[in-house]
Amino acid sequence: MSALTFTLKIQPQQRIDLSPLTPDTLAGKSVADIAAISLLSGKVQLRTDQVFDISGDDASDIVFNNSNGKLDSIGHGMKTGRITIHGDVGSYLGFQMKKGEITLHGNADAYTASGMADGLIHINGNVGDFLGAAYFGDRKGMKGGTVIVTGNAGERVGDQMRRGLILIEGNVGSYCASRMLAGTIGILGTAGEYIGYGMRRGTVLMTQKPTLHTTIQDCGTHTLPYLNLMFKSFAALPSKFAQISKNRVQRYAGDIANEGKGEILVLV
Amino acid sequence: MIINGVSIDDTFAEAFGMRGTRVIITAQNHKWAFNAANAMTGFATSVIACGVEAAIERELSGDETPDGRPGYSILMFAMGSAVLMKQLETRLGQCVLTCPTAAAFSGIDSGYPEITRINLGKNLRFFGDGFQISKKFGGKRYWRVPVMDGEFITEETTGMIRSVGGGNFLILAESQPQALAACEAAIEAMKKIPNVIMPFPGGVVRSGSKVGSKYKTLIASTNDAFCPTLKGITKTELSPEIESVMEIVIDGLTELDIRKATRVGIAAACALGAENGIKRVSAGNYGGKLGPYHFKLREIMEDDSLSNLAGATA
């Protein structure tokens, strides 16, 4: 069995919703069945074989080649298996993902990992705004699982995030961890303004001190033993975060305008 | 059966089903981990009056513990799950939460057919008065409770399993120092066996009991048949040369763990042999009617497969 491979063969004019193409929805389907699956693109329906050259047969291991930023909702609600993507993707990568693994070699757009419950998304590139954030009208963002971004992330990373782990090796935009409910966000680069705005609980781990607004308060430097547990859990991850070993931090707590039990830890 | 001049009685130790759990205590160094573990397992020799039987199982190096700090593993046994949970919580709260730098983690997560998760720090977190913080790593929930020395870290739950308590054997010797020397040698060897504890002081108990008493209010009293000073005035079990008897009680996570510990313990005592005054090895039972587990001494000493010292996971 070889990986079920979708190679993009058209230049899409409209965005294409790829949510029907996940390992659990394709399991047990023949190539003809898969070719006939209709994909929504604007107001038209496209057959999958109009959009992609399809090869391989292992639906638990899906590969998208030649991908571009018009392809939305890859890995939507996926519960099992693995998706590997070569090229950029559009929005909603891993939206409400339940389990499994997505590896992206390229950039992703907005709402990546929004509503994600478990699994791993590994992005070798940059992501847009609202990474792991709550979707419109939802009251909770990401609820579990792990997201690793080797590049930069846009604004509102982890907005209303409830649980899980987001590790960003590059920089993040403004309003990171805004209204965060719980969970952990790690940032090796810089952060924009208003980090932790309206944060209730949760942890943001940084290596450099960000600009803080007035309702984030300094709690002093500490050696926190729980960081040993956290870094031990990072050790198996394919990320630069696996190499962090120190556990001495400056602890800022907030947002005291909103319960204030969140923390921004800056490694010192 | 005679080993090195020591006669092994054709009898058995009678043991009971208990609920057992393991907790890993870590701290800044072994000294402070010991202070916490020692306090937590204090006054825990017998379920008769202590609620639980508990002791330190072994010392752990930093690479064996969840948070990478030095520590100790402790085992706790009780007759029922409710009393075990209660004792675990109060002891953790008074002895580990209070101890500088100490942290507590689950010691049983897999390897047994039926593991019940019981509260470790789940309720203790409320000591944090709202400032407590939950963190989940690798599917396990931990609590960070702010305390005056920094943060108290505890896992939310630990594993409880059905286990075995009350395995035992008696060492009969020509003098008190010789009996004690044999017990010390036995305990030294038995401490190397995983999954077992010998909960009495130093692992040894000198006040073996029988069921009942001449006093109506007492349910147990001294085992006069094994008291050397009563040889002439009671229905004694002792021959004239025996001047001292001591017992080693063993609680283990599985029956096999107790069999292994019994074997190495008796072997170590017999290694001193008759020339050092060790004359007989016996065991305590109630006629086989009360406890479901029977540890037949001769059978255990003949079973060479028990020499594999690794712990059992039945």
Side-chain angles (χ1 to χ4, degrees):
Chain A
M1 297 247 281
S2 59
L4 180 60
T5 306
F6 297 93
T7 307
L8 187 68
K9 64 179 181 185
I10 60 169
Q11 274 299 324
Q13 298 303 305
Q14 297 276 356
R15 310 187 76 83
I16 304 177
D17 179 356
L18 296 190
S19 57
L21 305 183
T22 65
D24 28 298
T25 53
L26 298 185
K29 286 204 166 83
S30 67
V31 176
D33 290 340
I34 294 170
I37 292 174
S38 62
L39 304 172
L40 203 59
S41 176
K43 61 179 180 180
V44 299
Q45 308 256 3
L46 299 170
R47 278 175 59 96
T48 300
D49 60 359
Q50 283 179 278
V51 181
F52 295 106
D53 285 327
I54 306 169
S55 64
D57 51 3
D58 183 1
S60 69
D61 184 8
I62 294 177
V63 176
F64 290 98
N65 282 332
N66 199 21
S67 174
N68 79 22
K70 288 271 198 306
L71 304 183
D72 286 343
S73 298
I74 294 179
H76 180 110
M78 74 186 262
K79 298 185 183 77
T80 169
R82 184 168 59 194
I83 297 178
T84 310
I85 307 148
H86 299 278
D88 296 347
V89 298
S91 299
Y92 311 114
L93 175 69
F95 189 81
Q96 293 186 345
M97 177 173 170
K98 306 284 186 296
K99 211 150 194 150
E101 201 176 319
I102 296 176
T103 307
L104 170 65
H105 301 281
N107 304 318
D109 209 338
Y111 286 103
T112 297
S114 174
M116 176 180 181
D118 203 352
L120 172 69
I121 300 180
H122 188 188
I123 296 165
N124 294 291
N126 303 322
V127 291
D129 298 339
F130 295 101
L131 168 64
Y135 188 57
F136 307 103
D138 279 357
R139 299 184 64 185
K140 285 173 191 167
M142 183 172 164
K143 297 187 233 350
T146 303
V147 178
I148 298 168
V149 179
T150 59
N152 304 324
E155 297 189 354
R156 295 272 180 184
V157 172
D159 179 54
Q160 298 194 87
M161 175 177 176
R162 175 64 184 82
R163 195 179 291 128
L165 177 63
I166 299 177
L167 298 176
I168 297 155
E169 293 173 15
N171 307 325
V172 299
S174 303
Y175 291 96
C176 176
S178 60
R179 307 185 291 172
M180 186 173 178
L181 297 168
T184 304
I185 300 174
I187 303 157
L188 293 184
T190 60
E193 287 184 306
Y194 291 103
I195 184 169
Y197 182 85
M199 186 179 185
R200 291 170 74 95
R201 298 186 302 273
T203 302
V204 179
L205 178 75
M206 302 200 62
T207 51
Q208 358 185 345
K209 188 186 168 190
T211 311
L212 297 170
H213 58 282
T214 47
T215 47
I216 304 282
Q217 294 291 308
D218 189 355
C219 292
T221 47
H222 303 281
T223 302
L224 296 179
Y226 102 88
L227 290 173
N228 297 343
L229 291 167
M230 188 158 92
F231 295 145
K232 208 168 169 180
S233 76
F234 289 177
L237 296 175
S239 165
K240 284 182 193 165
F241 281 88
Q243 286 140 35
I244 299 178
S245 58
K246 39 185 186 176
N247 61 355
R248 187 148 181 85
V249 290
Q250 183 90 22
R251 182 174 192 266
Y252 300 92
D255 184 333
I256 54 170
N258 191 9
E259 204 169 314
K261 283 167 62 186
E263 60 182 0
I264 297 170
L265 304 178
V266 182
L267 288 165
V268 292
Chain B
M1 178 187 237
I2 294 168
I3 301 173
N4 199 17
V6 184
S7 136
I8 310 294
D9 283 9
D10 185 12
T11 185
F12 61 91
E14 193 170 347
F16 300 88
M18 292 181 99
R19 300 300 176 114
T21 186
R22 182 191 281 121
V23 180
I24 309 240
I25 309 283
T26 67
Q28 182 178 287
N29 51 35
H30 273 123
K31 177 180 174 182
W32 285 97
F34 178 81
N35 286 341
N38 193 40
M40 189 159 170
T41 56
F43 185 59
T45 54
S46 165
V47 289
I48 292 173
C50 308
V52 286
E53 299 181 3
I56 290 172
E57 181 190 20
R58 71 186 182 96
E59 189 177 293
L60 301 171
S61 66
D63 22 302
E64 296 174 289
T65 62
D67 65 351
R69 299 190 302 169
Y72 286 89
S73 68
I74 63 174
L75 293 175
M76 284 176 70
F77 297 88
M79 296 308 283
S81 50
V83 60
L84 183 63
M85 287 189 265
K86 180 77 194 150
Q87 286 281 338
L88 181 58
E89 202 158 79
T90 52
R91 285 166 184 265
L92 191 71
Q94 297 305 309
C95 308
V96 183
L97 168 68
T98 56
C99 180
T101 76
F105 303 97
S106 166
I108 297 180
D109 295 313
S110 60
Y112 297 93
E114 186 194 348
I115 299 174
T116 312
R117 301 306 298 178
I118 57 171
N119 295 351
L120 189 61
K122 190 175 182 178
N123 291 327
L124 224 49
R125 73 175 195 257
F126 296 113
F127 184 75
D129 199 23
F131 295 105
Q132 70 272 22
I133 296 173
S134 149
K135 280 281 155 197
K136 217 171 173 183
F137 304 122
K140 294 172 140 203
R141 186 185 296 286
Y142 300 90
W143 285 98
R144 300 163 54 194
V145 181
V147 283
M148 295 197 317
D149 83 334
E151 278 184 336
F152 167 56
I153 310 292
T154 173
E155 203 167 323
E156 180 164 87
T157 61
T158 185
M160 174 178 74
I161 60 167
R162 289 176 190 277
S163 46
V164 184
N168 67 78
F169 60 89
L170 303 166
I171 295 175
L172 289 70
E174 281 176 338
S175 73
Q176 201 178 66
Q178 287 170 318
L180 193 56
C183 286
E184 283 177 2
I187 290 293
E188 210 49 50
M190 293 163 82
K191 276 184 175 170
K192 297 190 177 77
I193 306 291
N195 308 338
V196 295
I197 53 164
M198 285 63 72
F200 282 93
V204 188
V205 48
R206 58 112 174 250
S207 61
S209 58
K210 66 173 183 290
V211 177
S213 160
K214 69 179 277 192
Y215 304 107
K216 280 179 191 157
T217 51
L218 285 185
I219 52 165
S221 60
T222 192
N223 193 356
D224 52 86
F226 282 91
C227 289
T229 55
L230 303 179
K231 266 185 286 197
I233 56 168
T234 191
K235 190 172 176 250
T236 189
E237 287 278 337
L238 307 179
S239 48
E241 77 278 17
I242 305 297
E243 253 183 47
S244 187
V245 181
M246 292 177 195
E247 181 177 356
I248 291 177
V249 173
I250 312 154
D251 297 331
L253 291 181
T254 70
E255 193 180 353
L256 182 59
D257 294 321
I258 294 187
R259 292 172 72 85
K260 286 182 173 180
T262 304
R263 182 181 163 96
V264 301
I266 293 178
C270 291
L272 291 172
E275 70 208 66
N276 286 304
I278 317 303
K279 303 302 279 189
R280 244 174 88 196
V281 173
S282 188
N285 61 56
Y286 313 93
K289 294 191 181 109
L290 292 175
Y293 302 99
H294 297 166
F295 297 96
K296 297 191 174 111
L297 298 186
R298 288 185 179 179
E299 194 183 290
I300 285 172
M301 297 316 289
E302 278 160 8
D303 185 356
D304 289 335
S305 70
L306 297 175
S307 315
N308 169 20
L309 297 188
T313 50

